[in-house]
Amino acid sequence: MFVCRTCRQTVQSATYVQWPSRACVTAGRGSFEQRRGVHNTRVQCQSLRTRLVVLQNKTNLDVSLTKGAGISTSSSLQGSAEENDQKFQRPMAQTTIDEEEVKKFSNLAELWWDEAGEFEALHSMNELRVPLIRDALVNQRQQESEGTVRPSLPLEGFQILDVGSGGGILSEPLARLGALVVGVDASEENIKIAQAHVMHDPKVARNIKYIQATVEDLVGTEAEKFDAVVTSEVVEHVADVPTFVTACCQLVKPGGSIFLTTLNKTYLSYALGVVVAENLLRLVSPGTHDWNKFISPQDLQYILDQNDFSTRLLHGMMYNPLMKRWSWIKNTSVNYAIHAVKAT
Amino acid sequence: MAMSLSLLFRRCCPKNRQALHRLFSTASTSESSDDADIVISGGGMVGASMACALAYSDSFADKRIVLLEAAPDRGDFHLPKRYSNRTCALSPSTAGLLSSFGAWEEIEMMRSQPVRRMQVWDSCSDSMIAFSQEDMTEPLAWIVENDVILGAIMRRLRQAPNPVDIRFETSAKSFVIPHVSESWEEKSKHPWVKVELGGEKSIYTRLLVGADGSKSAVRAAAKLHTVKWNYEQTAVVATLRLAEAIDNNVAWQRFLPTGPIALLPLSEEFSSLVWTTTPEDAKHLLKLPEESFVDAVNDAYWHERDKNALADKAVDGFSQLLNNIMPGGTAMKQLPPTVTGVEEKSRAAFPLELMHASHYVRPRVALIGDAAHRLHPLAGQGVNLGFGDVECLTRILEQAVAGGSDLGSLNHLLTYETKRQRHNLPVVATIDGLQRLYSTDFTPLVVARSLGLTAVNSLTMFKNLIIQRATA
Ligand SMILES: Cc1cc2nc3c(=O)[nH]c(=O)nc-3n(C[C@H](O)[C@H](O)[C@H](O)COP(=O)(O)OP(=O)(O)OC[C@H]3O[C@@H](n4cnc5c(N)ncnc54)[C@H](O)[C@@H]3O)c2cc1C
Ligand SMILES: C[S@@+](CC[C@H](N)C(=O)[O-])C[C@H]1O[C@@H](n2cnc3c(N)ncnc32)[C@H](O)[C@@H]1O
């Protein structure tokens, strides 16, 4: 089974890919290319269920490829793959959640929600991205009408789709500010983790629904339904960015907003985002990021343009690992955020 | 929305529908149990003002705040004729905080006495230092009785726009703190703090604020360590009557080898005494007949027995030198008023210690006031640090609300801790240093401190800095 090392999830979508380890990238070009080939083939099944089966077959193939690649560090790689296998492989078909399950996901939720743990940088990024989304939406509404904003619930009345919601680190604050949030994630595990966490906070739980799905699944029924689509730190994990972003765009109402944060495709982002963050500082587990999936703001803006969106804001973001704080900067060569608005 | 959601559910994850339903129904049942956004344990001056600051802030309009106080409800406060022997010197920034929820105006309507000048001098030499705002228009501080402060805050708390659930005669039997309490690991694993009130009653809260004083139960439950200094010293307090009605607006503090004695203005005729001395001496002072006690106070201010010839000479020479460099820098020494009586039963004694918690926060827990730090009363800073904590924590929680954060999130609580420790620690250390420096008559130290005081007195800039720090 194919498992994301950061998010501890299983693969369930054609656009959703997380390489198990960067070790295979550096160790064997051949295997890397092959792997990419496998995953870039868009699977054209209509039903999600068939798609899953196809993918499961493919991922099995994938693991065997990795194992057969003759990598010097293969023992550790295999070890972790097997470990992940045991830990995360569960029967796919489930009708109810039993107590054991709930407990297990609460434990995993602790990992996602440990503010000083592996996802620390995502937690502290909220200090930038929540105000960015809040202020943009509130301004937009104030331009349209002269309604008063409740200071504690400024996002009341907005419907927001959080794509790749993970453990809900960004969905929860948006819901707490009054928005109705739908969090979708390709990983069933993450969806359960997010649910297990939010259920303890009834005020927030009222405003959130987490759904295991991919954006492409939603386009059929939910096109132009959302005031805003947010997809933060997801694009760099996606196999087919144009398809993914186009689907996100289709879900936004005319005049609505899209917010993206991701990593740029520059040598600096490789140095800082992959080498330093993963291997030297161990801010995130090695293998979290595949530089080849990073995308430049220009390329991203081009896709947004194609979908009738105009960019309102493009900002760089910088993480200070000592202070454990993010700040806005001009330079977009490592991390950046984009806000774009759909034509009416 | 409901429509589109149900569509989503049917389309994408039919198998999860029941599971989701279960999760959400669990969520709604737990709502009926007693949940709070913030529980404040301890309704002293600091805890009550925390509750008040939140209750008057727009950001907390729809938040549920609970205040637990062990003592019974004393009802609306009526100003007694007699002055109380427990007083505090409130700084301008404390006045600002209290005014933000109308409590300062209540205090002014009751009683308070401004301090426009503060004179500090040494019994071992002629050195002295005087502080005042340049034009004496803005007071350095106000002396207010503790009962008046608390009475004013409680009155405003009861009138607050976002009502606070005040529970008197209530103290938690225990706290279950995530990741800290053993019982959390074993049982609940609920991500919030559980405040167990005894019987079946308990409150789950997103944030627990410990304002329960220097013996804080919250601090103990959160396993936050403290550093303590015991001075083997006792503070004797009393309300004193002055010889004649004067424009009483100077605080007089004289350092004796046994400790500082401070006379703080209460009204034209009364002043409040805080006399720090050895435990034996304190016992003796409490037992003395009233007349002899008054004599002892006057003697402490006026006697010249401790004068150290060498120190005096050094100071004389140094003052002249300073005067040559900075003419007009040294303020004139003034003479304290004479005391003629002590109010009946106003004498009391408190053992002194200095305590500082090495951390003020845990996930979902924050300490404020004496629960986090207890000072020697020598600088009259104690409660002002606590009010500073309230101001800082309120601002940070407002930001957390604006950012949609969980109120108990460690991220912003750490910001609170860093900010306050950066402010409080130097105060704690300076006051500890001063205390040590002044409880000796060992000549080199006496000379050093005398020269220190004299130099500070003439260095106008430095003095203004101290005033800013003490009043900020
Ligand atoms: C002699 C002396 C002189 C002083 N002079 C000055 C001065 O001049 N200027 C100055 O600024 N400061 C002075 N201080 C310090 C000042 O009094 C304190 O800093 C101040 O009282 C601290 O307020 P607090 O609310 O943090 O704690 P406290 O005043 O100790 O209040 C704690 C409250 O919590 C309640 N409580 C305790 N445990 C529980 C529980 N488990 N459950 C529920 N409730 C509980 C208590 O009943 C109390 O109401 C002096 C102190 C002393 C001893
Ligand atoms: C680094 S996490 C970010 C989580 C969250 N957005 C945040 O910022 O806290 C990336 C998440 O994106 C999800 N993901 C990746 N590709 C996806 C896709 N194509 N569709 C939906 N979710 C995807 C992963 O499962 C994972 O939970």
Side-chain angles (χ1 to χ4, degrees):
Chain A
M1 172 116 348
F2 205 76
V3 174
C4 167
R5 296 279 304 280
T6 2
C7 317
R8 297 182 169 69
Q9 69 232 330
T10 47
V11 169
Q12 279 142 19
S13 145
T15 54
Y16 170 67
V17 175
Q18 174 66 58
W19 307 107
S21 162
R22 226 171 43 78
C24 18
V25 182
T26 40
R29 282 274 155 220
S31 79
F32 170 63
E33 287 307 326
Q34 265 171 303
R35 284 152 42 81
R36 205 148 85 123
V38 169
H39 286 284
N40 272 350
T41 329
R42 286 270 290 143
V43 189
Q44 297 295 331
C45 343
Q46 282 317 301
S47 121
L48 181 67
R49 196 100 52 92
T50 16
R51 198 185 274 186
L52 282 178
V53 175
V54 175
L55 260 161
Q56 268 170 347
N57 294 339
K58 283 188 188 297
T59 47
N60 285 340
L61 169 72
D62 191 84
V63 172
S64 58
L65 262 174
T66 324
K67 280 182 180 167
I71 303 156
S72 53
T73 56
S74 65
S75 61
S76 69
L77 182 69
Q78 271 177 28
S80 69
E82 271 159 23
E83 196 184 290
N84 283 340
D85 266 5
Q86 294 177 347
K87 247 197 202 151
F88 301 112
Q89 194 169 12
R90 287 183 332 283
M92 300 298 289
Q94 267 179 318
T95 46
T96 51
I97 290 181
D98 61 52
E99 290 307 312
E100 274 304 299
E101 281 277 285
V102 171
K103 223 182 219 158
K104 179 178 160 189
F105 286 110
S106 309
N107 287 342
L108 283 174
E110 266 173 47
L111 255 167
W112 266 89
W113 284 90
D114 177 1
E115 290 173 81
E118 199 168 330
F119 298 101
E120 184 170 42
L122 286 182
H123 282 282
S124 62
M125 193 188 274
N126 279 352
E127 283 177 22
L128 295 195
R129 56 192 182 175
V130 174
L132 170 79
I133 297 165
R134 179 196 64 205
D135 296 346
L137 294 182
V138 167
N139 278 343
Q140 190 183 325
R141 179 157 62 188
Q142 276 171 342
Q143 275 165 14
E144 287 163 8
S145 63
E146 274 161 43
T148 47
V149 178
R150 273 215 267 172
S152 56
L153 295 170
L155 293 184
E156 217 173 9
F158 284 103
Q159 294 183 14
I160 299 178
L161 177 70
D162 183 6
V163 180
S165 46
I169 295 173
L170 179 55
S171 316
E172 285 198 19
L174 296 176
R176 205 175 271 115
L177 292 178
L180 289 175
V181 179
V182 176
V184 295
D185 203 289
S187 148
E188 184 191 14
E189 208 137 46
N190 286 354
I191 287 298
K192 286 186 181 167
I193 286 169
Q195 283 165 346
H197 186 265
V198 79
M199 73 179 220
H200 289 294
D201 202 331
K203 277 192 200 165
V204 180
R206 269 204 290 269
N207 286 2
I208 296 192
K209 296 285 176 259
Y210 288 115
I211 293 157
Q212 181 211 330
T214 68
V215 262
E216 310 91 275
D217 295 329
L218 300 186
V219 171
T221 54
E222 309 302 312
E224 309 207 328
K225 285 270 165 69
F226 294 94
D227 299 296
V229 168
V230 173
T231 179
S232 183
E233 305 304 293
V234 178
V235 176
E236 66 271 24
H237 301 277
V238 161
D240 181 348
V241 176
T243 311
F244 175 84
V245 174
T246 302
C248 287
C249 289
Q250 285 167 342
L251 297 166
V252 179
K253 280 182 191 168
S257 288
I258 188 164
F259 299 89
L260 297 119
T261 77
T262 188
L263 283 155
N264 198 345
K265 193 167 188 161
T266 60
Y267 289 107
L268 189 60
S269 73
Y270 179 75
L272 290 179
V274 182
V275 181
V276 177
E278 293 186 5
N279 301 345
L280 294 177
L281 294 180
R282 301 264 163 189
L283 294 178
V284 292
S285 316
T288 298
H289 293 116
D290 172 4
W291 184 74
N292 284 284
K293 293 216 223 76
F294 293 3
I295 179 169
S296 73
Q298 291 74 30
D299 289 352
L300 202 49
Q301 275 176 298
Y302 177 76
I303 307 173
L304 292 172
D305 279 350
Q306 296 284 299
N307 285 287
D308 258 0
F309 276 73
S310 54
T311 305
R312 288 290 159 86
L313 174 145
L314 168 63
H315 260 320
M317 299 189 291
M318 190 178 65
Y319 185 62
N320 178 337
L322 291 179
M323 301 301 296
K324 309 202 156 135
R325 286 281 141 91
W326 288 89
S327 49
W328 293 116
I329 50 167
K330 272 217 173 106
N331 188 310
T332 57
S333 59
V334 185
N335 293 87
Y336 65 93
I338 285 188
H339 169 214
V341 174
K342 193 172 190 167
T344 41
Chain B
M1 191 67 201
M3 165 72 183
S4 73
L5 269 177
S6 63
L7 267 178
L8 282 176
F9 279 56
R10 226 171 302 147
R11 282 273 176 149
C12 305
C13 37
K15 292 185 216 95
N16 266 357
R17 216 156 77 209
Q18 270 186 322
L20 270 179
H21 182 75
R22 247 198 76 195
L23 281 173
F24 282 113
S25 61
T26 340
S28 50
T29 46
S30 71
E31 199 171 6
S32 67
S33 80
D34 202 357
D35 284 352
D37 290 291
I38 303 177
V39 170
I40 302 165
S41 176
M45 289 184 275
V46 174
S49 66
M50 184 76 219
C52 223
L54 297 173
Y56 280 86
S57 162
D58 281 348
S59 308
F60 296 90
D62 56 355
K63 301 279 184 279
R64 191 167 131 66
I65 295 155
V66 182
L67 177 65
L68 308 176
E69 168 54 46
D73 186 2
R74 286 191 280 174
D76 193 34
F77 178 70
H78 295 287
L79 189 66
K81 261 188 90 169
R82 264 172 65 106
Y83 282 86
S84 148
N85 59 1
R86 296 297 310 269
T87 62
C88 280
L90 301 183
S91 70
S93 51
T94 294
L97 170 76
L98 294 177
S99 169
S100 71
F101 44 80
W104 184 249
E105 289 68 22
E106 294 284 341
I107 289 175
E108 283 186 317
M109 275 190 278
M110 291 190 267
R111 64 189 172 210
S112 65
Q113 185 72 358
V115 179
R116 299 192 190 278
R117 185 168 186 276
M118 190 165 115
Q119 178 171 307
V120 182
W121 73 110
D122 194 327
S123 70
C124 299
S125 78
D126 271 338
S127 68
M128 73 111 191
I129 180 167
F131 295 101
S132 60
Q133 298 282 16
E134 249 149 65
D135 45 5
M136 304 256 284
T137 49
E138 265 302 295
L140 290 168
W142 289 264
I143 307 300
V144 189
E145 296 146 88
N146 292 10
D147 292 345
V148 171
I149 303 172
L150 189 58
I153 297 170
M154 289 308 292
R155 190 174 291 168
R156 293 302 294 166
L157 187 56
R158 287 180 223 264
Q159 301 164 354
N162 334 325
V164 168
D165 178 359
I166 312 171
R167 303 198 192 170
F168 290 101
E169 291 176 77
T170 309
S171 53
K173 299 287 166 286
S174 55
F175 302 98
V176 182
I177 298 172
H179 302 284
V180 177
S181 314
E182 281 85 15
S183 53
W184 182 80
E185 287 289 343
E186 289 156 16
K187 285 186 277 174
S188 67
K189 287 243 171 182
H190 193 292
W192 297 357
V193 174
K194 187 180 183 192
V195 181
E196 296 178 327
L197 299 174
E200 288 294 281
K201 280 191 281 182
S202 59
I203 310 174
Y204 281 100
T205 181
R206 291 171 174 82
L207 175 65
L208 170 66
V209 175
D212 44 358
S214 59
K215 295 198 178 67
S216 172
V218 172
R219 191 181 63 222
K223 299 189 180 154
L224 290 164
H225 295 287
T226 57
V227 184
K228 275 197 182 118
W229 296 261
N230 198 326
Y231 295 105
E232 295 294 324
Q233 280 203 310
T234 300
V236 175
V237 300
T239 309
L240 302 177
R241 182 185 288 276
L242 305 181
E244 51 194 337
I246 49 163
D247 204 8
N248 195 6
N249 56 23
V250 182
W252 310 92
Q253 182 152 310
R254 190 182 198 204
F255 282 99
L256 309 171
T258 44
I261 179 169
L263 202 56
L264 309 166
L266 280 179
S267 70
E268 287 187 350
E269 293 154 278
F270 289 100
S271 281
S272 176
L273 174 80
V274 185
W275 186 351
T276 310
T277 183
T278 61
E280 304 77 50
D281 195 27
K283 226 180 259 167
H284 170 72
L285 286 170
L286 286 190
K287 278 200 216 119
L288 281 179
E290 284 177 5
E291 254 169 59
S292 325
F293 181 74
V294 170
D295 290 343
V297 173
N298 285 322
D299 181 65
Y301 269 105
W302 293 94
H303 79 77
E304 304 265 310
R305 287 188 297 277
D306 305 325
K307 275 254 173 136
N308 182 315
L310 185 61
D312 247 3
K313 259 201 203 117
V315 171
D316 271 353
F318 193 60
S319 292
Q320 268 173 13
L321 188 76
L322 280 174
N323 245 331
N324 291 339
I325 308 169
M326 279 181 294
T330 47
M332 285 296 293
K333 184 160 161 185
Q334 297 181 0
L335 298 178
T338 307
V339 173
T340 55
V342 53
E343 287 284 280
E344 209 184 329
K345 296 208 182 95
S346 73
R347 273 182 282 171
F350 305 91
L352 288 183
E353 58 169 24
L354 201 128
M355 181 278 296
H356 189 258
S358 18
H359 291 283
Y360 295 180
V361 304
R362 285 261 190 224
R364 303 203 175 276
V365 181
L367 301 180
I368 57 175
D370 274 23
H373 40 71
R374 186 172 180 76
L375 289 188
H376 193 284
L378 135 87
Q381 284 279 355
V383 81
N384 293 306
L385 291 190
F387 285 123
D389 296 345
V390 170
E391 167 99 47
C392 178
L393 188 56
T394 306
R395 293 290 94 78
I396 281 171
L397 292 179
E398 280 173 348
Q399 281 167 22
V401 169
S405 307
D406 186 331
L407 282 174
S409 144
L410 186 63
N411 225 334
H412 55 260
L413 294 182
L414 278 176
T415 314
Y416 159 74
E417 178 182 275
T418 311
K419 279 200 171 157
R420 286 316 288 169
Q421 291 207 335
R422 208 173 281 162
H423 180 274
N424 295 348
L425 258 175
V427 177
V428 173
T430 314
I431 285 168
D432 179 52
L434 271 179
Q435 163 60 24
R436 286 176 198 284
L437 187 59
Y438 278 99
S439 32
T440 179
D441 47 11
F442 178 57
T443 299
L445 281 186
V446 172
V447 173
R449 78 183 182 217
S450 306
L451 293 181
L453 271 190
T454 309
V456 168
N457 191 37
S458 47
L459 289 174
T460 318
M461 255 176 45
F462 184 66
K463 244 180 2 184
N464 287 341
L465 212 81
I466 297 184
I467 293 179
Q468 271 168 21
R469 252 217 98 88
T471 57

